[in-house]
Amino acid sequence: MPISPTATVTSLVAQLAEQLERRGVQVTTAESCTGGAIASALTERSGSSVWFEYGFVTYSNAAKHALLGVEEAIFEQHGAVSQACVEAMLHGALRVSGAAFGVAVSGVAGPGGGTPEKPVGTVWLSWGERDHRPHSSCFQFQGDRQQIRQQAVIQAVSALLGLAEK
Amino acid sequence: MPISPTATVTSLVAQLAEQLERRGVQVTTAESCTGGAIASALTERSGSSVWFEYGFVTYSNAAKHALLGVEEAIFEQHGAVSQACVEAMLHGALRVSGAAFGVAVSGVAGPGGGTPEKPVGTVWLSWGERDHRPHSSCFQFQGDRQQIRQQAVIQAVSALLGLAEK
């Protein structure tokens, strides 16, 4: 029987919660294409208020600028689905929230919005620790809009777990 | 066959999208106990970027104050699960986002955190139009944490639909 994506996320969040509680630190999220699904997955867990306080859903460039301080030049030079954008989103989320760890995501969930350079399923993820260099990675997910978002959530929570386990 | 909560939400969001697109207006969300689940439900719909830009996940009092401008006195006098708090959250979300319509939610999703006055399942919702008096309602949902959050999402999207249909 295949493991459902939901079960995978629940299990990852449980492991993340244990590590964050052990360390006494918090996480924050800055979401574009996942639109709140990472924050929702984290807070589905009872007791998550101990390690999660701030989540930013910045679905437009204006919101990324206003809430997270992403500079206009980044959109002009790199676009919103780019390493520069997710790193700026992460930086803003960590600064505003004061959390120790964070994750930021921006991608093309589809079915519209794809281009030859950034087809549907292209998702940039950045994750890291406050006052440290961020990690970033570009994924090319397959499937429909829901599946692309779900895979982005799984990667985001996995990335946070990787940070917290160190 | 019972209608699944997910199907209900998807259908409500579809109706909401149609009304928002017809009117050319946007919505915003300010979420405590639903933790991003409303924003996630809205953005599950393709094309939602036309009418959704800003979502605030403010899971702590500090976050409600910092992102939405909820005053400390409200927490002291009424608590975070109160009409005063959700109305202040809504006011802040509408102000920061510039959206025409918004919804704010704060409640006790459980299983912990209940009190005799505010048992698990108590959820305050506020919804309204920018520069107008907000509507507010207190719900007493039954079920487990996931079911309580899901019912809050359904009520929140229904409330936005009620505004947009007028």
Side-chain angles (χ1 to χ4, degrees):
Chain A
M1 198 176 77
I3 297 165
S4 81
T6 310
T8 304
V9 171
T10 304
S11 164
L12 285 169
V13 171
Q15 294 172 63
L16 175 63
E18 191 179 326
Q19 296 301 324
L20 294 173
E21 285 162 17
R22 176 180 65 80
R23 297 179 65 146
V25 295
Q26 295 202 331
V27 293
T28 187
T29 53
E31 305 183 60
S32 190
C33 67
T34 49
I38 302 170
S40 182
L42 296 178
T43 59
E44 192 73 33
R45 185 173 173 84
S46 165
S48 47
S49 60
V50 171
W51 45 264
F52 181 81
E53 287 192 65
Y54 290 76
F56 305 84
V57 185
T58 55
Y59 218 56
S60 67
N61 290 357
K64 290 174 184 72
H65 175 71
L67 298 190
L68 302 171
V70 181
E71 296 189 25
E72 304 288 355
I74 286 179
F75 305 124
E76 289 161 19
Q77 290 168 26
H78 306 278
V81 179
S82 66
Q83 180 172 356
C85 184
V86 287
E87 291 187 355
M89 288 169 67
L90 175 66
H91 183 78
L94 290 168
R95 177 178 49 78
V96 175
S97 70
F101 301 130
V103 66
V105 60
S106 184
V108 187
T115 64
E117 295 76 31
K118 296 173 185 175
V120 169
T122 306
V123 176
W124 269 101
L125 207 75
S126 184
W127 64 98
E129 194 168 350
R130 196 150 45 97
D131 304 324
H132 287 66
R133 264 180 82 100
H135 309 269
S136 298
S137 190
C138 185
F139 295 87
Q140 188 60 55
F141 297 127
Q142 303 300 314
D144 64 17
R145 180 177 179 85
Q146 194 176 4
Q147 290 166 330
I148 289 166
R149 282 163 49 106
Q150 188 73 30
Q151 290 170 85
V153 171
I154 290 170
Q155 289 298 335
V157 179
S158 298
L160 289 173
L161 180 58
L163 292 170
E165 277 180 340
K166 272 183 190 161
Chain B
M1 199 175 79
I3 297 165
S4 82
T6 310
T8 303
V9 171
T10 303
S11 164
L12 285 169
V13 171
Q15 294 172 64
L16 175 63
E18 191 180 326
Q19 296 301 325
L20 295 172
E21 285 162 16
R22 177 180 63 81
R23 297 179 64 146
V25 294
Q26 296 202 331
V27 293
T28 186
T29 53
E31 304 184 60
S32 190
C33 67
T34 48
I38 302 171
S40 182
L42 296 178
T43 59
E44 193 73 32
R45 185 173 175 85
S46 166
S48 48
S49 60
V50 171
W51 44 263
F52 181 82
E53 288 193 63
Y54 290 75
F56 305 85
V57 185
T58 55
Y59 218 55
S60 67
N61 291 358
K64 291 175 184 71
H65 176 70
L67 298 189
L68 302 171
V70 180
E71 295 190 23
E72 304 286 357
I74 286 179
F75 306 124
E76 289 161 18
Q77 290 168 26
H78 306 277
V81 179
S82 66
Q83 179 172 355
C85 185
V86 287
E87 291 188 354
M89 288 169 68
L90 175 66
H91 184 78
L94 289 169
R95 178 178 47 77
V96 175
S97 70
F101 301 129
V103 66
V105 59
S106 183
V108 187
T115 65
E117 295 77 31
K118 295 173 185 178
V120 169
T122 306
V123 175
W124 269 100
L125 207 74
S126 184
W127 65 99
E129 194 168 350
R130 196 150 43 97
D131 304 325
H132 287 66
R133 266 180 81 100
H135 309 269
S136 298
S137 191
C138 185
F139 295 87
Q140 187 59 56
F141 297 127
Q142 303 299 315
D144 64 16
R145 180 178 179 84
Q146 193 177 4
Q147 290 165 329
I148 289 166
R149 282 163 49 106
Q150 187 75 31
Q151 290 170 86
V153 171
I154 289 170
Q155 289 298 334
V157 179
S158 299
L160 289 173
L161 180 58
L163 291 170
E165 277 180 340
K166 274 184 189 163

